Amino acid sequence: MRSIPGLIRLRLWLRRRGHARYVVALLAALILLAVLDQMARRGAEVWVMAQLSREAEAAAGLRAAMLRSEIEKQRSLPVVLAQDPDVRTALTRRDPAVLRGLDAKFEALAAGTRASVIYLLDRQGVAVAASNYRDPTSFVGNDYAFRPYFRQALTEGAAEHFAFGTVSRQPGLYLARRIDSPAGLIGVIVVKAVFAEVEAEWRRLDSPIFVTDTRQIVLVTSVPGWQFHATALIPEAERARIRASLQFGDAALSPLPITAEGDNRVRVTMPEGGAARTFVEAAAPVPTTGWTLHVLSPITAAAEVSIAAARVLAVLAGALLMGALALIGSRRRQALRKRRRESRARRELERRVEARTLELSAANDRLREEMDQRQHAQAALQGLQDELVQASKLAVLGQIAASVAHEVNQPVAAIRTFAESGAMLLARGDTGSASGNLATIVGLTERIGAITGELRAFARKAPGPLGPVSLRAAVDGALLLVGYRLKEQEVALELDMGPEDFLVRAERVRLEQVLVNLLQNALEALASRPGGRVRLAARAEGERVLLTLADNGPGLPAAVLDALFIPFTTTKPAGLGLGLVISHDIVAEFGGTLAAANQDGAVFTLSLPRVP
């Protein structure tokens, strides 16, 4: 009870001396500064987090697009190989020599496309050919009928399945496609893509990156030890079912050491005893896959500096406001005390402003440096993107230009020859023959339009209508295009088409395109060789017609002959290695085959279905 009168006496003493007012003002000032500091901190954090979130989202979108591009490169392989005549022949004939040749072909394709492994399964799911046939872990002879991608490809025609390799012990994306013949299912072609190079590239960045499937399980990651963990807790029954499927081996599927803190911030404990760090998380879907790519962007020192600068500015503004209020209050006092207090206040204010200004200058310099570094990084990234787009455009343009120039060059030369001949006929007054030349020129220009249109249709993989085509007429059309070169090079032409005009299942323009390409190759092989000779012979064998084109040139080198129909294989210094590949694919679309051999020169044999 004695303490209450003591408090009353203390309050009266403070009031008499004006100390109570100062205490209240000081408490109010401290509360105001604390409130301003917290408001500035929160506002700066919201702004900084928004900036970091936008940058992380942009990075996630870019890396998702690059990952999709990597997957799309591999997706085209099973589509193309499912139509490959060698693959179909291997499945239907089961010839050991054909299968071993297919092994070598798969090995070359895997090396050129960076696929992990390419392998062919028969209708029972047993691997009959594989690109890793030389390795101790070869897939040849293994039964993969239990694999989900095999069963899905049988029922749906195509499948994509990410899983842990039971033989290779490497995880990867399995791309499968069903192969059918007129009699039905004959097998499944599978391409396995691994992402080790993508993960290695991601590890060079400061931001952890990982990709999850629809069950939140990590498939691809830049952080060793995170693969086959999950971003959410998976029920024990579901984990047991997944482990039983062997999709991810014996992985525990335990949650990642990531804790959400709000505002897209997460707290991450790095593997191998690393300290916990705070990141900004952004996610972007990987188109056409059902996957989600996550980027954890670290909160950099620049962000901390921005928040600190905002707090300093808020405290400084509050101090200035309180100083102004103190000055206004001091005017009510006696002039002498007012001048002394104002002098002290000004000196203190100047000192504090100078100190705060120095802090702000240092913070501003650090911010400017961070902004310059970020702008340089963004400019470098944009330059790389522009170079990637430009390289892609030039590659496509080069292919189209090379194909069109190769196919149109001969009709243009023929047009010139007929035009010069027509001028001579007109000079002699032979208008009838000149009119015939002009009509031929019109036909050649129409043929050029048909060739370029057909090349565009072939590039879009849009097959033209097939029907009965006169083999003799197709040969005559091709000779019309290259006949002048035969005369210029003094190459003898031998025709043995037989008494019967064979009808074959084809499309005339594209068949002439194949014949022109083969004749062109023969003439190039006979260049500068005296006594050059080209022989065309046709004969029927059952339900097929065989057309043989042979020259007496130097023949094909053995190394080139084995890989003649693989893209970019050529004996020409400036060749693209695409002409025979295109011809091979055209003949395959007709239901025929194109083969090459050496016999006193190069010999190409076309086998086409005969139409009664």
Side-chain angles (χ1 to χ4, degrees), residues 1 5 17 87 113 145 149 158 188 217 302 311 350 381 399 403 431 474 604:
M1 295 300 292
R17 286 163 173 73
V87 173
T113 60
Y149 58 78
V188 172
I217 298 174
R311 297 178 68 179
E350 289 173 358
L381 179 61
Q399 293 177 358
S403 299
T431 57
F604 288 86

Side-chain angles (χ1 to χ4, degrees), residues 346 510 526:
R346 281 195 298 271
R510 287 192 289 170
L526 295 172

Side-chain angles (χ1 to χ4, degrees), residues 354-433:
E354 183 179 1
R356 298 301 187 190
T357 301
L358 290 175
E359 292 179 6
L360 286 175
S361 297
N364 191 37
D365 291 341
R366 290 194 295 270
L367 279 174
R368 187 178 294 109
E369 183 180 355
E370 291 288 340
M371 291 175 65
D372 290 342
Q373 293 178 357
R374 187 171 301 164
Q375 289 175 356
H376 289 319
Q378 290 289 347
L381 179 61
Q382 185 63 39
L384 290 175
Q385 292 174 340
D386 293 343
E387 291 178 5
L388 180 62
V389 172
Q390 185 64 19
S392 178
K393 291 180 181 178
L394 290 176
V396 174
L397 180 60
Q399 293 177 358
I400 294 176
S403 299
V404 171
H406 186 75
E407 302 300 337
V408 174
N409 186 45
Q410 300 305 322
V412 170
I415 287 173
R416 179 177 178 180
T417 301
F418 279 104
E420 292 174 351
S421 176
M424 297 175 59
L425 291 173
L426 287 174
R428 293 200 301 264
D430 190 353
T431 57
S433 300

Side-chain angles (χ1 to χ4, degrees), residues 60 93 191 347 352 412 438 487 502:
R93 296 183 183 178
V191 175
R347 289 195 298 269
R352 294 175 65 182
V412 170
L438 292 175
K487 296 176 182 178
F502 299 113

Side-chain angles (χ1 to χ4, degrees), residues 211-248:
V211 177
T212 59
D213 62 8
T214 55
R215 296 168 297 185
Q216 307 301 316
I217 298 174
V218 177
L219 305 180
V220 184
T221 176
S222 64
V223 181
W226 280 13
Q227 193 171 47
F228 301 151
H229 287 258
T231 58
L233 182 63
I234 301 176
E236 181 58 36
E238 178 68 9
R239 282 192 290 171
R241 187 188 65 79
I242 295 174
R243 284 197 296 268
S245 69
L246 298 180
Q247 181 180 2
F248 304 119

Side-chain angles (χ1 to χ4, degrees), residues 1-39:
M1 295 300 292
R2 294 180 181 177
S3 61
I4 295 178
L7 291 175
I8 294 175
R9 287 194 297 270
L10 177 61
R11 184 178 299 174
L12 292 174
W13 182 82
L14 290 173
R15 184 174 297 171
R16 283 196 300 269
R17 286 163 173 73
H19 288 236
R21 184 169 59 253
Y22 299 143
V23 172
V24 172
L26 180 60
L27 290 176
L30 292 175
I31 292 172
L32 177 61
L33 289 177
V35 171
L36 288 175
D37 178 71
Q38 291 302 312
M39 291 177 61

Side-chain angles (χ1 to χ4, degrees), residues 515-581:
L515 296 175
V516 166
N517 188 25
L518 296 178
L519 288 167
Q520 178 82 4
N521 290 342
L523 289 172
E524 291 179 358
L526 295 172
S528 303
R529 292 177 67 91
R533 185 178 68 257
V534 174
R535 185 174 189 274
L536 278 168
R539 70 179 188 276
E541 284 191 2
E543 298 181 354
R544 307 188 74 80
V545 175
L546 301 183
L547 177 63
T548 303
L549 189 151
D551 63 64
N552 62 342
L556 298 168
V560 174
L561 187 62
D562 294 336
L564 195 59
F565 300 113
I566 295 178
F568 310 115
T569 300
T570 180
T571 59
K572 306 173 186 176
L576 294 176
L578 296 175
L580 287 176
V581 176

